């Protein structure tokens, strides 16, 4: 956990510079993957091979975001990265998803003084996060897990499960049955 003050000129300047880079990234031609890849490497702390973030994309610092290989985020991803936000390999993010490490105190006097709390977020390998989900600071999502659309993840979610809801909770484990749920599965093995 990390405590920082809002209204800090040094942090505000870092955020401004990052927002300027995001603005430029969001103006790129959607088919210009090469320039997008170059700019992502300027914005993010690290980006694996074949990392794609479909514009528009916004973040606060950028350097706290780390994405693995074959990462794909659809339109309108927002990351408030006061602390590290780490994504594994082969992660799919649906449109309109938010990842926020930031919290503010419940006490109004502390909020007025600019106290801000940040907690990191970790997303494992082979994770799919459905459209419109919100992942809050302190959350971890285990490998191979699916987060259903519209979920709000407030706590750790284990590996190999389907989880959904507000707040997000496990509904079942991923099983061998899931491999045969689609009639075309045997054609793509």
């Amino acid at each position: 956990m990390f405590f920082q003050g809002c209204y800090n000129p040094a942090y505000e300047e870092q955020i401004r510079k990052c927002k300027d880079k995001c603005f430029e990234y969001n103006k790129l031609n959607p088919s210009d993957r090469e320039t997008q890849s170059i700019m992502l490497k300027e914005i993010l702390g690290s980006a694996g091979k074949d990392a794609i973030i479909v514009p528009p994309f916004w973040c606060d610092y950028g350097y706290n975001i780390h994405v693995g290989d074959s990462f794909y985020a659809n339109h309108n991803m927002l990351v408030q990265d006061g602390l590290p936000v780490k994504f594994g390999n082969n992660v799919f993010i649906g449109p309109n998803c938010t990842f926020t490490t930031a919290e503010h105190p419940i006490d109004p006097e502390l909020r007025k003084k600019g106290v801000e709390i940040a907690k990191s977020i970790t997303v494992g390998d082979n994770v799919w996060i459905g459209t419109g989900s919100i992942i809050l600071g302190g959350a971890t999502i285990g490998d191979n897990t699916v987060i259903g659309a519209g979920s709000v993840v407030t706590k750790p979610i284990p590996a190999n499960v389907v989880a959904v809801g507000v707040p997000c909770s496990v509904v079942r484990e991923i099983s061998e049955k899931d491999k045969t749920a689609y009639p075309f599965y045997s054609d793509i093995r």
Side-chain angles (χ1 to χ4, degrees), residues 12-154:
E12 289 174 1
E13 178 63 13
Q14 288 177 30
I15 291 170
R16 186 195 62 74
K17 286 180 179 177
C18 185
K19 298 287 187 204
D20 286 350
K21 289 179 185 177
C22 289
F23 179 78
E24 292 303 316
Y25 179 81
N26 291 332
K27 292 191 313 183
L28 292 173
N29 184 315
S31 62
D32 188 356
R33 296 276 191 221
E34 185 177 340
T35 305
Q36 285 180 355
S37 179
I38 292 166
M39 284 197 73
L40 273 180
K41 289 179 177 157
E42 292 175 12
I43 295 170
L44 304 180
S46 63
K49 183 180 173 201
D50 299 321
I52 296 172
I53 298 177
V54 179
F57 161 63
W58 294 99
C59 60
D60 286 343
Y61 298 95
Y63 57 76
N64 282 325
I65 302 169
H66 304 276
V67 304
D69 295 337
S70 301
F71 174 88
Y72 182 87
N74 215 319
H75 299 279
N76 295 319
M77 183 168 79
L78 169 65
V79 183
Q80 293 182 308
D81 58 315
L83 275 183
V85 179
K86 298 177 183 176
F87 298 94
N89 298 317
N90 305 303
V91 172
F92 291 164
I93 308 292
N96 301 312
C97 287
T98 299
F99 299 81
T100 180
T101 64
E103 287 184 20
H104 299 281
I106 292 173
D107 178 73
E109 294 303 316
L110 290 175
R111 281 197 311 273
K112 285 193 308 190
K113 291 178 181 177
V115 173
E116 182 176 327
I117 302 146
K119 298 176 184 174
S120 62
I121 296 171
T122 302
V123 176
D125 293 335
N126 310 308
V127 170
W128 173 23
I129 297 176
T131 299
S133 292
I134 299 169
I135 315 302
L136 299 179
T140 58
I141 299 171
D143 293 347
N144 309 313
T145 286
V146 175
I147 303 295
S151 294
V152 178
V153 180
T154 62

